[in-house]
Amino acid sequence: VASALLPQMSSVAGGGDDHVVIPYNGPPATNYGGLWWNAPAGSEAGWSINFAHQGDVIFATWFTYDNTGTAWWLSLTARKTLGGAYSGTVYQTNGPAFSADPFNPNSVIGTAVGSGTLTFSDENNGTFDYTVNDITQTKTITREVFGPLPTCVFGAQDNLAAATNYQDLWWNPAESGWGINLTQQGNTIFATWFTYNQNGKPLWLTVTATPPTPQSGIYAGTLYQTSGPAYYTVPFNPANVVQMPVGAATFTFANGNSATFAYTAFGVSQSKTITREVFQSPGTVCQ
């Protein structure tokens, strides 16, 4: 994603100010980075929101569904306001199809569709208040746990290549506008890839990737597309969420800051080099 998806502070996924890396010299604070979903856990399985938390900024990608039940993602660059609250503008982003070669970041367009506020009561629980397309709602949220949770600290490691846990927001800097969130717990990586379908509309896919051997640096799994109830549906019934396999994906890590993302999706096979996206230096490292 990167500069086109950090709309308010860069261009990570669509429209906004030029991408700027902001140094941070404050003390370590609670880090909310990772994958979150509705509380109590599993009550609305089928949608989620991922937080890349660096310093006083959270870049959130919300994976949900539009009016037709089609996979739809929105982004939010939320800046810290008071206490444990972070707020910003919610964007929808359109861009070149995931299969476009070359992928032209100048064709990525972000449109403001509302606003959002994240308020945390502790390191594992909070609320997500938002207005999107004139619909206002509140969700209670909690971390999604599928393995041992890592400890993530902003500014703990200047040399990101030395990291041994890959949890973070990753992108290809030459193709700002799409990105992939890696949530790693133990030897499992759950990846949410946000990109665009053939008509340029938002598309997200997921993969649960595991290594053939614990220290191989290679994680692979089946790639899925998901459909479900529209984001504003109350109650949201997880029984109406449908997962369909559309291919496979493999992550091969050269080190903690450099990897190859190879995939076959909808019959198209490609490979991308990816690196962590640092929008507030020196970034966050988990272990």
Side-chain angles (χ1 to χ4, degrees):
V1 203
S3 59
L5 282 183
L6 285 174
Q8 302 108 286
M9 71 170 294
S10 73
S11 46
V12 185
D17 304 329
D18 291 337
H19 183 64
V20 176
V21 174
I22 305 166
Y24 178 83
N25 298 313
T30 299
N31 192 281
Y32 303 111
L35 188 65
W36 294 61
W37 60 351
N38 195 74
S43 58
E44 294 189 357
W47 72 268
S48 62
I49 186 165
N50 191 91
F51 301 144
H53 187 184
Q54 299 176 20
D56 288 337
V57 178
I58 292 176
F59 178 71
T61 35
W62 178 16
F63 302 97
T64 185
Y65 311 96
D66 66 13
N67 294 339
T68 68
T70 301
W72 187 50
W73 62 266
L74 301 169
S75 64
L76 165 69
T77 299
R79 299 177 182 276
K80 190 172 184 178
T81 54
L82 297 173
Y86 298 74
S87 297
T89 303
V90 174
Y91 284 84
Q92 175 182 317
T93 310
N94 291 50
F98 75 92
S99 56
D101 187 16
F103 180 99
N104 183 2
N106 294 324
S107 298
V108 175
I109 299 173
T111 303
V113 294
S115 61
T117 297
L118 305 166
T119 306
F120 299 95
S121 56
D122 59 43
E123 63 183 355
N124 296 310
N125 296 281
T127 57
F128 177 32
D129 297 278
Y130 55 85
T131 298
V132 170
N133 292 335
D134 298 322
I135 295 174
T136 298
Q137 293 179 311
T138 296
K139 299 281 193 183
T140 56
I141 55 174
T142 189
R143 288 186 186 273
E144 182 165 353
V145 180
F146 51 85
L149 288 173
T151 298
C152 302
V153 180
F154 173 72
Q157 173 63 265
D158 290 334
N159 180 14
L160 298 179
T164 56
N165 182 291
Y166 305 114
Q167 179 164 302
D168 214 335
L169 170 65
W170 292 66
W171 68 335
N172 182 310
E175 298 186 351
S176 64
W178 69 269
I180 189 161
N181 296 300
L182 306 184
T183 301
Q184 182 174 1
Q185 298 176 15
N187 285 323
T188 300
I189 292 176
F190 182 77
T192 44
W193 175 21
F194 50 104
T195 184
Y196 313 95
N197 61 24
Q198 296 300 330
N199 62 11
K201 292 184 177 180
L203 167 71
W204 58 269
L205 303 172
T206 63
V207 54
T208 300
T210 55
T213 58
Q215 304 303 321
S216 66
I218 300 172
Y219 294 74
T222 302
L223 201 57
Y224 288 91
Q225 181 180 17
T226 310
S227 60
Y231 72 97
Y232 52 76
T233 304
V234 178
F236 181 100
N237 185 356
N240 293 330
V241 174
V242 178
Q243 250 189 352
M244 178 177 68
V246 297
T250 300
F251 301 94
T252 303
F253 294 94
N255 55 53
N257 196 39
S258 179
T260 301
F261 172 36
Y263 53 84
T264 296
F266 306 102
V268 176
S269 295
Q270 293 178 312
S271 180
K272 306 278 191 181
T273 57
I274 56 174
T275 188
R276 294 176 189 261
E277 180 170 358
V278 176
F279 49 85
Q280 213 169 56
S281 182
T284 296
V285 168
C286 301
Q287 61 182 14

